[in-house]
Structure formats: C-alpha cells, structure tokens
Amino acid sequence: MKVQKIEEEINQTKNHLSFLENSLKEIQENCEHQFKGDQNFERCLKCNKVEILYY
Ligand SMILES: [Zn+2]
C-alpha cells in the first residue's frame, strides 16, 4: 500500500466517522429517552444514550 493511498483512506475514514458521530448525536438529541438501569447509570432503550447518576 502506498503512503498516499493510506493517507487518502485515513481521511475518508475520518470523514465517515464524523458523519456517523453527528448522525448519532442528532438521533440522541431528538430521542424521547426511555431510560432503564440501576443506581449508577441508566441507558436509553431507544438510542443507547447513557446517563451517569451521582448520588
Ligand atoms: Zn434516547
């Protein structure tokens, strides 16, 4: 594999990753969360968002 090709793939992967992260963030921001969990943390059943609970 040539260096240039590797760099190209790294950049494409970064772009793809940031696209995925934004998609996830958007889903989680618009989710009507339905949390389920224990005393330490709970996770939304719909979007997998995790809330840490401190007491
Ligand atoms: Zn949710």
Side-chain angles (χ1 to χ4, degrees):
M1 218 183 232
K2 295 244 167 68
V3 168
Q4 208 170 1
K5 177 75 184 158
I6 294 175
E7 286 179 341
E8 197 177 297
E9 286 211 19
I10 289 174
N11 279 330
Q12 284 174 356
T13 305
K14 277 181 180 170
N15 286 339
H16 188 54
L17 181 63
S18 99
F19 169 77
L20 290 176
E21 283 172 346
N22 283 334
S23 302
L24 182 62
K25 198 173 153 196
E26 199 179 311
I27 290 171
Q28 290 181 330
E29 277 175 359
N30 291 307
C31 178
E32 291 177 25
H33 302 304
Q34 196 181 323
F35 287 112
K36 186 177 181 160
D38 58 30
Q39 292 174 334
N40 299 318
F41 81 98
E42 49 186 21
R43 183 189 298 273
C44 175
L45 297 174
K46 295 177 182 173
C47 73
N48 271 353
K49 185 179 169 70
V50 171
E51 297 263 298
I52 310 286
L53 307 172
Y54 295 103
Y55 288 105

